[in-house]
Amino acid sequence: MAAERVAAVAELVENQATRVVVNGVPIALVKDSAGDIHAIGDTCTHGEISLSEGFVEDETLECWAHGSQFSLVTGKPLNLPAYEPVPVFAVEIIDGDVYIDSSVTKEIN
């Protein structure tokens, strides 16, 4: 599949997650305080909750329901109750627009 345009960089609010759906895959799109843009799976692995409704701080996104924090870089949970990571998607910026291919996840060690 090809990457799909999901937003303009200028539309993204710093330290706030935005829910986008790419080819049926819900993704939390985040512009962190450093201005970096991240795309991780939007569903908390603990409770099927939308992570884009959570809280962003530095390079983490916290699930509003149970408090699990996920790394925006690796998708790994940083605390319980979640113990499974969410997928992390590659982000491409072209002419000020954000593109994501939902069929390609980053390899994280």
Side-chain angles (χ1 to χ4, degrees), residues 53-67:
E53 297 177 25
F55 312 101
V56 178
E57 185 174 339
D58 299 322
E59 291 185 340
T60 64
L61 178 54
E62 181 179 325
C63 178
W64 64 269
H66 301 109

Side-chain angles (χ1 to χ4, degrees), residues 7 10 19 28 35 47 63 73 77 90-92 100 102:
R19 185 178 195 269
C63 178
V73 176
V91 173
E92 192 174 2
I100 299 171
S102 62

